[in-house]
Amino acid sequence: MSISAELFDQSQQCIPGGVNSPVRAFGSVGGTPIFFERGEGAYLYSVDNQKYTDYVGSWGPLILGHAHPHVIEAVMKAARKGLTFGAPTENELRLAQRLCKIIPSLDQVRMVSSGTEATMSALRLARGFTGRDKIIKFEGGYHGHNDALLVKAGSGALTFGSPSSPGVPEDFVKHTLVAQFNDLDSVHEHFEENPGEIAALIVEPVAGNMGCIPPANGFLQGLRDVCDKHGTLLIFDEVITGFRVDLGGAQTLYGVTPDLTTLGKIIGGGLPVGAFGGRKDIMAMLSPLGPVYQAGTLSGNPIACAAGLATLDVLEKPDLFASIIAQTKKLTQGLRALADKHHIPMVINQVGTMFSFHFTSDAHVHSFADVMRTDAEQYHAFFHAMLASGFYFAPSAYETSIVTLAHNNEVIDDTLDAFDAVFESMKMRVA
Ligand code: PLP
């Protein structure tokens, strides 16, 4: 039995399902999760001494790869001064200044400890500011495990949300309306049916939790326009896309400025951080200035902020971000050529440093419905074949893959060689 399997056995005794976040359990792909001991650059090393090239990147934060020396040094330096004070520190001020400078919509920003907290707080603020209760989210959009956002629509669009988890009372989600990503009509219908009642519309501007789905031309601007028309706040959840599709997030890439933005992952450089921010008049509603309460003992933690600042130091170097995008394109173009060579029907989506590949003979994957039509079983076979070759992709067909600064030419070439071999074996099985 491998050490990972032994540890997983033990974990299942004291941690529900043996994991602290469900997708880690390999539930959909089958098999036993790998326990990792360390990461370095583009590579992960398991407790069984296996080396894996990593395309999960801890689900997004690791834009510089694992254990980047500049980030580690900043963390050590900050830790030596104390781990938390529960009082203001200069690190949080400097990170807030940097975020406000880089992200167009941020006049002000407040730090929290996770993406879930960021979206929960942004929604409360939007409701407090507008005095309205209803919100719109998109099917297949994930914004953390807040009650009000943990809603998948049923098969029909334009229905009131029903909770996707026991423990979330119907009453808590009765104000959550679900629309379809890349379908403005489904959004307009909610506004027509609920005039003057919708506080906020929250969207991942590039969907990152059903693969990587780019917004259709005009979709984000259409959301901006309809929100303006109805006095609804537009919230971009850039927990994944912030510093990943563009240094200034999707709002810079697509030139559409939301009222509020939620951030996480990369801004903590690998430590637990989230943030939400936006227009000054809206942020002024927050406690202690205004009546909307929001707080956190570890919010703005000095070590997490030091890691975030160090990450930005590296990311803001001229041309560096563009070079990570170029590597991502090199990989996806190579992948396209290999899929064609092996006659494997596949759609590949890529935005910035995010990409996803879907086993499907459809011409494109633009929506939740498109994603649901893709062949998840094929992905599972692919996942295990790549894992056996030493490449760690997400253990789910519906996640985005990521490229980091550490994915240099050698890493990308090795990955393409592995794709080539795995596709060859898959082709034989399909035939
Ligand atoms: N928003 C988006 C777009 C996410 O992808 C996630 C997590 O994956 C969250 C929010 C929640 O962040 P966290 O897991 O840090 O609570």
Side-chain angles (χ1 to χ4, degrees):
M1 192 188 231
S2 68
I3 301 176
S4 278
E6 265 175 47
L7 293 177
F8 190 53
D9 263 4
Q10 288 180 39
S11 292
Q12 285 172 295
Q13 305 305 312
C14 54
I15 301 173
V19 290
N20 282 312
S21 200
V23 75
R24 296 178 197 173
F26 277 30
S28 71
V29 290
T32 304
I34 297 168
F35 279 61
F36 291 111
E37 196 166 61
R38 70 187 177 90
E40 196 182 324
Y43 302 112
L44 279 166
Y45 297 85
S46 75
V47 289
D48 290 287
N49 244 330
Q50 297 289 319
K51 180 180 172 187
Y52 296 91
T53 304
D54 183 17
Y55 283 96
V56 180
S58 188
W59 306 97
L62 300 176
I63 187 82
L64 304 182
H66 290 275
H68 190 282
H70 186 62
V71 179
I72 298 299
E73 196 188 309
V75 166
M76 305 287 269
K77 201 168 145 200
R80 275 192 212 101
K81 294 182 182 168
L83 301 183
T84 174
F85 309 115
T89 63
E90 187 172 340
N91 276 358
E92 61 190 329
L93 160 67
R94 298 295 168 223
L95 185 56
Q97 286 174 328
R98 293 277 276 279
L99 294 175
C100 290
K101 196 169 147 225
I102 301 170
I103 308 277
S105 64
L106 301 189
D107 294 337
Q108 295 197 328
V109 64
R110 176 156 291 171
M111 306 298 299
V112 291
S113 299
S114 70
T116 297
E117 258 188 274
T119 56
M120 175 187 77
S121 308
L123 281 186
R124 183 183 304 150
L125 177 59
R127 285 171 159 153
F129 182 80
T130 58
R132 302 173 181 178
D133 288 338
K134 291 191 162 81
I135 55 161
I136 298 179
K137 77 172 285 284
F138 291 93
E139 186 170 23
Y142 179 67
H143 307 284
H145 63 101
N146 303 302
D147 285 349
L149 290 168
L150 204 57
V151 176
K152 280 188 214 158
S155 50
L158 301 173
T159 50
F160 277 98
S162 60
S164 58
S165 164
V168 179
E170 290 280 348
D171 271 357
F172 286 22
V173 295
K174 71 181 182 197
H175 299 302
T176 305
L177 309 167
V178 181
Q180 298 302 315
F181 192 73
N182 278 337
D183 177 358
L184 280 175
D185 287 346
S186 73
V187 176
H188 290 148
E189 283 182 45
H190 281 313
F191 278 101
E192 277 154 30
E193 284 169 17
N194 302 275
E197 290 187 77
I198 300 173
L201 181 152
I202 186 164
V203 62
E204 293 177 72
V206 176
N209 284 284
M210 44 179 174
C212 164
I213 312 281
N217 274 346
F219 179 65
L220 296 177
Q221 187 58 48
L223 297 181
R224 179 67 279 173
D225 294 343
V226 73
C227 285
D228 284 345
K229 183 170 164 204
H230 294 274
T232 294
L233 299 187
L234 177 61
I235 305 175
F236 276 6
D237 180 354
E238 300 232 37
V239 164
I240 292 186
T241 53
F243 309 118
R244 188 159 278 295
V245 296
D246 187 292
L247 203 46
Q251 52 201 271
T252 301
L253 185 63
Y254 295 103
V256 176
T257 306
D259 301 295
L260 291 173
T261 298
T262 55
L263 297 164
K265 307 207 187 217
I266 292 176
I267 64 160
L271 292 186
V273 168
F276 65 103
R279 272 170 33 201
K280 207 168 184 171
D281 58 324
I282 305 173
M283 296 304 281
M285 286 291 285
L286 268 189
S287 186
L289 287 180
V292 176
Y293 195 70
Q294 188 279 329
T297 302
L298 295 176
S299 295
N301 175 269
I303 303 169
C305 289
L309 282 167
T311 302
L312 288 180
D313 285 345
V314 180
L315 267 187
E316 285 189 286
K317 288 191 178 142
D319 300 332
L320 186 128
F321 199 81
S323 74
I324 313 177
I325 296 179
Q327 291 300 86
T328 316
K329 283 190 178 144
K330 178 176 171 177
L331 180 65
T332 51
Q333 281 162 5
L335 180 52
R336 171 79 275 148
L338 288 171
D340 291 347
K341 172 180 158 193
H342 293 285
H343 308 291
I344 296 199
M346 180 180 272
V347 168
I348 301 159
N349 289 339
Q350 177 255 331
V351 183
T353 66
M354 295 165 69
F355 70 98
S356 62
F357 42 94
H358 304 267
F359 293 97
T360 176
S361 31
D362 287 355
H364 52 68
V365 176
H366 282 169
S367 66
F368 183 71
D370 293 345
V371 175
M372 289 298 109
R373 274 199 305 275
T374 64
D375 187 342
E377 286 311 312
Q378 185 94 311
Y379 181 85
H380 300 163
F382 159 86
F383 167 82
H384 280 294
M386 287 300 277
L387 196 65
S389 314
F391 292 82
Y392 188 67
F393 281 87
S396 157
Y398 307 122
E399 302 288 348
T400 188
S401 300
I402 60 115
V403 171
T404 77
L405 178 63
H407 289 73
N408 56 22
N409 280 333
E410 188 190 333
V411 175
I412 301 289
D413 290 343
D414 286 350
T415 308
L416 290 172
D417 286 346
F419 273 129
D420 199 5
V422 165
F423 284 170
E424 182 63 34
S425 63
M426 288 177 82
K427 188 177 69 177
M428 284 166 66
R429 216 178 14 255
V430 171

